[in-house]
Amino acid sequence: MILGCIADDLTGATDLALMLSREGLRTLQSTGVPHHSIDLGLIDAVVIALKSRTIPVDDAITLSFAACDWLKAHGAKHFLFKYCSTFDSTDQGNIGPVADALLDHLKSDFTLACPAFPATGRSIYMGQLFVNGAPLAESPMRDHPLTPMRDSDLRRVLQKQSKYKIGHVAFADVNQGADAIASAFEREKKAGHRMVIVDAITNDHLREIGRAAASLPLITGGSGIAIGLPKAYLDRGLIKALHPPSARLVAPHGRRIILAGSCSVATRGQIAQAIEKNLPHFRVDPFAIADGCCTIETIMKWVTSLPVDALPLIYSSDDPDHVAKVQEQLGREKSGALVEHLMADLARALVSAGFTRMIIAGGETSGAVVEALGVGLLEIGPEIDPGVPWTKSRSGPEVVLALKSGNFGAPDFFTKAWDRLS
Ligand code: ADP
């Protein structure tokens, strides 16, 4: 293994694993830190998916160390800490504190922070993160249920979270290519900056940043930051060849389902389109879960009454006003946990009832579902939309899963995704 990756949520891990696999590294994804040693065979990269984005900082650091140590013990030479391309975090953490701690843990004196992912509309210019052309703080991320982002300046956001001085490598350097970026890293180090926000607008920028950063022990960013690494490792002789991924994924026989717990704009659009196309749908209301009216039994009764070839959609997703009302009455964490637990228990019941092909929308939601199913290792399959591949379980029940970060995917994601399975 050349590269060991620690991702702070599951869909982010899948997004990164897809990027590495597409660019030629043989990549495996693990849900959580494996409890035992694994014979990795010909694997170049492992992505360990944690559920550490919104947990207490100390727990996030402990989990990240465990992942880092497992990867190191299995041969990783370089490490990547992956977080969301919209920098999902609060002033209390967890991106800054985990990056600080990993720098110390790996005895490294410098790293970069670059969540840019142009394929999904995330770019960084003069330290400001843009989401589909809008500054982060004016994008729908300002109303995220768990990590509302109200400042677009990543230098300021990260500085509030980190104990180290944050620097910046701006577009003017990035645009000149890898050598200029490497010189800028040296300049920033001399200025006493242990972490730098790096501007990036295009994939070419990310490839040049990857070339400049390939020798760093630790890199941090979104999945985009990985785009240049495989080729950079090849050029440096750290790997012998690139291995393009297989184009199709063979799915086990069984029924299909879509579970959506994301309240993001893209997911709500996908739900609207699915309903317009007459997909049978069931809306889960957090108040109804809280007062015991909406149970697994009710939902299973509905879903199993449908024809076996139906494509049912079960969703809790709602608009920001309604989510705010729910959170006001039930509490932010409690309402999130209520929905996540229901989706997790539901997924278990569905697998027992013969459902083997699932789309799960939402990072936290996907994490809860995969944990409940006991799916450990995932093989990465074909890409459905940027950042979202089909995956197949290599441990636990035999299922194929599309784990979609809430804001990812085109409006027709829920209906077109199935064409990539055979
Ligand atoms: P995303 O990838 O869009 O961030 P997540 O699944 O990570 O989606 O986060 C959405 C959070 O919102 C989850 O904790 C989920 O349980 C919670 N949630 C889902 N539906 C509702 C709702 N109707 N009201 C309040 N919270 C909700």
Side-chain angles (χ1 to χ4, degrees):
M1 186 190 346
I2 180 76
L3 182 65
C5 307
I6 304 160
D8 71 352
D9 90 334
L10 186 68
T11 49
T14 312
D15 169 15
L16 173 63
L18 171 64
M19 178 65 80
L20 293 169
S21 135
R22 227 184 51 194
E23 294 297 319
L25 294 191
R26 293 162 297 187
T27 306
L28 206 58
Q29 180 176 329
S30 169
T31 308
V33 183
H35 297 302
H36 46 80
S37 193
I38 295 171
D39 178 7
L40 292 174
L42 296 172
I43 291 297
D44 300 309
V46 174
V47 182
I48 295 184
L50 302 178
K51 199 172 183 301
S52 57
R53 182 168 297 170
T54 53
I55 63 174
V57 170
D58 288 346
D59 295 347
I61 292 174
T62 305
L63 273 179
S64 303
F65 280 180
C68 185
D69 292 343
W70 189 95
L71 292 163
K72 204 171 191 180
H74 283 74
K77 315 284 183 299
H78 300 271
F79 297 84
L80 197 162
F81 169 38
K82 154 78 174 73
Y83 37 81
C84 191
S85 57
T86 41
F87 215 74
D88 302 18
S89 52
T90 64
D91 286 351
Q92 287 70 44
N94 287 351
I95 296 175
V98 170
D100 287 356
L102 284 173
L103 270 173
D104 295 343
H105 197 62
L106 292 166
K107 298 186 174 49
S108 172
D109 61 353
F110 185 77
T111 192
L112 60 95
C114 181
F117 191 7
T120 56
R122 278 71 160 155
S123 57
I124 308 170
Y125 181 68
M126 302 315 282
Q128 315 286 313
L129 180 60
F130 292 84
V131 180
N132 294 322
L136 176 66
E138 292 166 40
S139 79
M141 277 307 296
R142 67 173 285 108
D143 295 318
H144 189 277
L146 304 175
T147 50
M149 300 303 292
R150 303 277 166 100
D151 187 353
S152 309
D153 192 316
L154 295 184
R155 296 163 296 186
R156 229 165 19 216
V157 174
L158 187 56
Q159 191 61 81
K160 283 186 185 149
Q161 300 176 12
S162 171
K163 64 182 179 191
Y164 296 119
K165 272 176 75 186
I166 306 300
H168 181 214
V169 175
F171 175 82
D173 287 319
V174 173
N175 206 33
Q176 287 181 59
D179 291 344
I181 299 167
S183 305
F185 287 168
E186 289 308 316
R187 179 194 71 214
E188 292 295 311
K189 256 197 255 184
K190 281 195 190 111
H193 299 147
R194 205 164 169 198
M195 241 188 297
V196 287
I197 299 290
V198 184
D199 286 359
I201 297 172
T202 65
N203 279 347
D204 283 345
H205 291 150
L206 288 169
R207 287 184 196 283
E208 293 302 311
I209 296 166
R211 274 181 60 204
S215 61
L216 293 177
L218 177 69
I219 294 172
T220 87
S223 62
I225 197 63
I227 198 169
L229 295 178
K231 176 76 168 42
Y233 294 149
L234 183 71
D235 292 346
R236 285 167 183 257
L238 297 170
I239 53 173
K240 289 201 175 72
L242 297 176
H243 301 267
S246 58
R248 296 185 73 78
L249 190 63
V250 180
H253 187 72
R255 295 178 69 169
R256 308 179 293 170
I257 189 106
I258 303 161
L259 301 180
S262 160
C263 299
S264 298
V265 171
T267 298
R268 286 189 284 126
Q270 288 151 355
I271 290 170
Q273 189 172 109
I275 292 174
E276 208 171 278
K277 286 188 176 164
N278 292 322
L279 260 59
H281 52 278
F282 189 107
R283 181 172 166 266
V284 172
D285 174 4
F287 290 126
I289 310 174
D291 66 19
C293 293
C294 176
T295 63
I296 301 298
E297 290 70 35
T298 338
I299 304 173
M300 286 305 291
K301 202 168 161 197
W302 172 76
V303 88
T304 51
S305 70
L306 299 169
V308 288
D309 60 349
L311 175 51
L313 161 68
I314 298 169
Y315 67 100
S316 66
S317 321
D318 216 335
D319 58 56
D321 288 348
H322 284 110
V323 170
K325 269 187 204 126
V326 169
Q327 292 185 336
E328 219 169 83
Q329 291 192 36
L330 299 176
R332 183 195 278 199
E333 274 170 30
K334 192 181 164 206
S335 52
L338 261 182
V339 177
E340 285 174 36
H341 285 151
L342 181 111
M343 290 293 186
D345 292 344
L346 182 60
R348 236 190 332 241
L350 286 163
V351 169
S352 300
F355 287 77
T356 59
R357 304 161 179 222
M358 298 186 175
I359 293 177
I360 319 288
E364 296 292 325
T365 310
S366 295
V369 165
V370 167
E371 194 180 325
L373 292 182
V375 171
L377 295 178
L378 286 170
E379 176 188 328
I380 305 301
E383 182 170 25
I384 304 164
D385 267 330
V388 201
W390 275 108
T391 68
K392 189 174 187 173
S393 59
R394 290 251 299 241
S395 64
E398 201 189 352
V399 286
V400 289
L401 303 168
L403 306 168
K404 191 187 80 72
S405 172
N407 260 324
F408 280 7
D412 59 350
F413 186 91
F414 290 164
T415 44
K416 76 171 175 194
W418 312 96
D419 299 344
R420 274 70 160 176
L421 295 177
S422 59

